[in-house]
Amino acid sequence: MAAVSPPSLVLEIIIFFGVGSDFQKQFESAPLAPVDYAFIAQTNLGNHFQIDIGKLGETKDAQMQTTTGQVRVGARLLHRGFIAAGGILLIAAFGTDYIYYTTSLWQWANFSAWLITAGLIVIGIAVVLLLIDFATGRAGRLDKGSFMLVAAAALLSLANAFVHSRDAWTSVVPQGILLSAVSTILLIIAGARGWSLTLSRATGDRP
Amino acid sequence: MNATSLRPIAALISFMSLAACGSRGGDPARQYGSDPYLPEPQQYLLPPMSVPKAIDWQAGETPTVSAGLKVEALATGLEHPRTLYTLPNGDILVVESNSPGTEPFRPKDFIAGKVKARAGAAARGGNRITLLREAGDGNPGLRTVFIDHLNSPYGIVLVGDTLYVANTDAILTFPYEPGETRINSPGAKLADLPAGPIDHHWTKSMTVSADGSELYVGVGSNSNITENGMAVEEGRAAIYEVDRLTGAKRIFASGTRNPTGVAFEPQTHQLFAVVNERDEIGPDLVPDYLTSIRQGGFYGWPYSYWGNHVDIRVHPQRPDLVAQAIKPDYGLSSHVAPLSLLFSEGQHLSPTFANGAFISEHGSWDRSPLNGYQVIFVSFMDGRPVGKPMPVVTGFLGKDNETVHGRPVGLALDRNGALLVADDVGNTVWRVSATQPGR
């Protein structure tokens, strides 16, 4: 446990308090202003930092004992990785569609059908996790841009799953590969925006 | 999220639900005969599936027969009876069989399999042949397992003292003595037939030439329309000629998507077949058909249908083959699934049925309203099909058209000229005879 206090991190904690949490409630009920609290310790726990907060003006040992809360800064958004995984499966379907288009080899069209189905299932899981992210306070506001990109790509891909249920050439050409291409463009933009559908709770930025 | 930003999503959803409805099929009568109505092909968003739910025949329920005929159950409780064959001594063979089963290749295959199972298509076949001896003349009747442990058998024909059974993967021969009720011989292989991998259309219909020298075997395609690749279509969608003694075989005609019934017209000795055409380009495409089979003829599949109507789902296309494609003789309307072709031999049932062919229509699974689910009669004149088909056995569907009690498959005439109908959902063999005997 190393006691460091980079100013930016302290700032983030203060912003975090401002956004609202159980910790904030303690602030509201306590007679102390935020300035009475100070950063005690930051622990790198791999996927997030644990930051211990204590009251000012006490000894280090006492600070440890009187730690009033812990904040998870940069705690992982559950939905984000699943949006990425589902998005990549849907992008891969454009690749297999393209190979089918150039070779007419049937198995590539089958790969596309499976990739689109799997991509939609994984994005379905991501939607559930997105709700959990909201419910558990991990997520900040919805990122409307990313949400629209992923929602449009998912709906186009749902239509594309039906197009790919056709038999032989017209399961891919022309509508199937066109839908995969448009979904791919939307998803690449969503990927460049970090795959997350929400803003970060701590900073208000996209994570 | 405001209403404006959701508008494109709402539009997409409404487009998809519209597309899902699909279109309804028109009057099947427009597609009977030599010049059927052929609408423009459609490309679906949702695969069209419309399957009635299988419900057992209740006690006393039977199919309906046309005027002057009566129907009774000859045997019940069979295991997916498909083909019927009458031996010279009057014993009736019932081939109990179903698909060897195929692995799903695509997400669609899972769903399609589940839907078709609703209509009883997934029932296990007996993989055996049952012998029925009708009661009468002081004979109490008999039912025995005639040949067991077959591999999705379908076609069956007796020539002299040899019984030929077409399993899905080979023609087997069994020695037969008149009156025999059980054959224990494992059978000898005469010739291999195209089967796995996949074996999408698994039935091997079979008949024999009038002189008994050649067997003719219908081999279905390995897909609807080449979605399993061209490599697995090698030697499929064809009618084979197999030398009865040596087993040497060659393709007699090709481009017949699924020739599920083959038979010789008794007056002209011309080979005819009923063929199941392709699915999923519309409720009224493509009409299944009855046609004479020319040696070396090409009947279009997969590249075209009804002559030179190109199927754009096949890639690369073959305009050279499309140019050669033969137009079938007689449309039966779309998706009726004709499975058995039986030429009448004189007027046992009624003078109406003196000259022509009975055809069993197993019934549609991808058309709304449903089509088929009946046995029809097509009159012949000078060795050619003429006029409109006449329904002979109907009433397999429930009155609401939402349920199905039975689906007709194999046809045969018994020793007395009664029409036998195998029902692979009701697991029954029906016997249709004249109400006034002695005609």
Side-chain angles (χ1 to χ4, degrees):
Chain A
M1 189 182 285
V4 290
S5 57
S8 64
L9 201 53
V10 173
L11 189 62
E12 282 194 9
I13 295 163
I14 300 305
I15 289 164
F16 186 96
F17 292 165
V19 176
S21 67
D22 289 344
F23 204 17
Q24 187 188 8
K25 287 177 191 155
Q26 293 185 24
F27 264 92
E28 285 166 351
S29 60
L32 299 166
V35 73
D36 294 323
Y37 285 78
F39 174 84
I40 296 173
Q42 173 189 348
T43 315
N44 188 342
L45 294 177
N47 66 342
H48 67 276
F49 291 97
Q50 176 177 304
I51 292 159
D52 296 332
I53 309 292
K55 286 184 181 175
L56 281 174
E58 297 176 13
T59 66
K60 194 182 174 192
D61 285 348
Q63 279 171 355
M64 293 305 292
Q65 287 163 4
T66 59
T67 296
T68 55
Q70 293 175 338
V71 186
R72 297 163 113 212
V73 174
R76 192 179 269 171
L77 289 164
L78 297 178
H79 77 274
R80 185 181 168 197
F82 282 80
I83 294 286
I88 285 162
L89 290 170
L90 296 176
I91 290 170
F94 171 68
T96 51
D97 272 354
Y98 182 74
I99 300 172
Y100 178 71
Y101 174 65
T102 53
T103 64
S104 308
L105 291 176
W106 67 294
Q107 195 66 275
W108 292 106
N110 282 4
F111 291 151
S112 297
W114 285 112
L115 285 166
I116 292 167
T117 305
L120 287 171
I121 289 170
V122 173
I123 285 183
I125 294 169
V127 169
V128 174
L129 295 175
L130 176 64
L131 296 176
I132 294 174
D133 280 340
F134 278 123
T136 57
R138 282 182 166 82
R141 281 186 300 111
L142 193 69
D143 181 341
K144 279 184 194 170
S146 288
F147 179 83
M148 288 299 290
L149 286 166
V150 172
L155 285 170
L156 290 173
S157 297
L158 182 62
N160 206 8
F162 289 115
V163 171
H164 276 74
S165 78
R166 292 173 187 166
D167 289 336
W169 187 244
T170 50
S171 73
V172 175
V173 188
Q175 288 103 329
I177 191 166
L178 188 68
L179 287 168
S180 329
V182 174
S183 301
T184 295
I185 292 166
L186 299 176
L187 289 166
I188 285 173
I189 299 170
R193 290 165 68 99
W195 291 120
S196 173
L197 302 191
T198 65
L199 303 176
S200 161
R201 166 129 256 174
T203 65
D205 291 333
R206 280 195 298 275
Chain B
M1 185 120 301
N2 58 37
T4 317
S5 58
L6 283 172
R7 201 166 289 159
I9 294 173
L12 185 62
I13 289 170
S14 62
F15 161 72
M16 287 176 63
S17 51
L18 265 181
C21 294
S23 56
R24 289 174 65 81
D27 182 3
R30 292 185 300 176
Q31 299 193 308
Y32 294 145
S34 60
D35 186 25
Y37 163 72
L38 298 174
E40 283 302 305
Q42 304 171 9
Q43 292 290 324
Y44 288 98
L45 197 55
L46 259 185
M49 298 203 84
S50 174
V51 170
K53 184 168 170 48
I55 292 177
D56 290 342
W57 294 104
Q58 301 303 304
E61 280 184 338
T62 66
T64 313
V65 288
S66 54
L69 301 177
K70 63 182 194 308
V71 60
E72 64 204 318
L74 176 66
T76 58
L78 295 156
E79 286 186 19
H80 220 254
R82 301 286 285 198
T83 311
L84 298 175
Y85 190 78
T86 307
L87 293 168
N89 71 344
D91 288 348
I92 296 151
L93 300 183
V94 184
V95 180
E96 296 165 88
S97 185
N98 204 353
S99 163
T102 55
E103 294 299 315
F105 275 17
R106 294 187 291 167
K108 173 190 188 179
D109 300 338
F110 279 110
I111 296 159
K114 294 225 181 302
V115 174
K116 287 184 191 176
R118 225 173 91 89
R124 203 182 71 85
N127 275 329
R128 68 182 182 197
I129 298 173
T130 289
L131 180 141
L132 304 175
R133 186 168 289 171
E134 288 183 86
D137 303 335
N139 155 18
L142 184 70
R143 175 167 165 178
T144 62
V145 174
F146 185 61
I147 303 178
D148 208 348
H149 310 300
L150 293 166
N151 179 17
S152 293
Y154 195 77
I156 181 168
V157 64
L158 178 75
V159 185
D161 57 2
T162 306
L163 189 70
Y164 295 83
V165 175
N167 271 349
T168 193
D169 59 349
I171 301 174
L172 301 184
T173 64
F174 297 87
Y176 169 75
E177 286 175 26
E180 218 170 358
T181 57
R182 168 150 194 115
I183 293 179
N184 288 311
S185 149
K189 185 162 81 180
L190 176 70
D192 284 315
L193 295 173
I198 305 172
D199 214 12
H200 181 84
H201 289 125
W202 60 275
T203 63
K204 302 299 190 288
S205 55
M206 183 164 66
T207 192
V208 65
S209 60
D211 66 0
S213 64
E214 305 284 350
L215 299 169
Y216 292 85
V217 182
V219 176
S221 65
N222 225 346
S223 63
N224 174 29
I225 185 69
T226 73
E227 70 275 13
N228 298 329
M230 286 307 292
V232 296
E233 302 298 345
E234 181 69 36
R236 300 200 70 124
I239 293 169
Y240 281 73
E241 184 180 69
V242 182
D243 187 280
R244 186 175 68 79
L245 297 177
T246 66
K249 64 177 190 282
R250 62 172 177 156
I251 290 179
F252 184 75
S254 61
T256 49
R257 179 174 171 276
N258 191 16
T260 42
V262 285
F264 280 90
E265 201 279 324
Q267 292 179 359
T268 58
H269 301 305
Q270 166 68 47
L271 180 63
F272 275 80
V274 284
V275 177
N276 288 239
E277 259 292 356
R278 63 207 72 198
D279 295 312
E280 299 188 28
I281 49 173
D284 289 326
L285 281 179
V286 171
D288 297 332
Y289 59 82
L290 164 71
T291 194
S292 55
I293 297 294
R294 294 184 217 165
Q295 182 169 351
F298 173 70
Y299 290 82
W301 194 89
Y303 305 103
S304 65
Y305 57 87
W306 210 270
N308 56 10
H309 295 263
V310 171
D311 194 324
I312 60 166
R313 295 173 295 177
V314 185
H315 192 88
Q317 296 184 4
R318 289 288 300 273
D320 54 327
L321 287 173
V322 171
Q324 297 171 23
I326 298 169
K327 251 187 205 179
D329 295 339
Y330 190 93
L332 297 168
S333 80
S334 301
H335 310 303
V336 293
L339 288 192
S340 190
L341 172 64
L342 172 74
F343 283 96
S344 67
E345 292 160 17
Q347 43 179 292
H348 300 285
L349 284 179
S350 143
T352 317
F353 306 133
N355 184 10
F358 295 101
I359 296 169
S360 62
E361 297 178 344
H362 203 220
S364 63
W365 59 267
D366 66 338
R367 183 187 196 271
S368 184
L370 301 172
N371 199 11
Y373 296 94
Q374 60 182 347
V375 179
I376 58 163
F377 182 80
V378 177
S379 296
F380 271 58
M381 192 178 287
D382 303 325
R384 312 285 299 170
V386 292
K388 298 285 180 200
M390 285 172 278
V392 181
V393 189
T394 56
F396 290 96
L397 289 170
K399 285 193 178 65
D400 51 3
N401 277 9
E402 302 277 317
T403 57
V404 64
H405 299 304
R407 300 178 81 182
V409 193
L411 300 175
L413 295 173
D414 77 0
R415 164 166 60 170
N416 303 315
L419 176 67
L420 304 175
V421 181
D423 165 0
D424 70 351
V425 170
N427 289 322
T428 299
V429 175
W430 302 100
R431 184 178 188 275
V432 179
S433 53
T435 47
Q436 295 174 353
R439 250 206 257 256

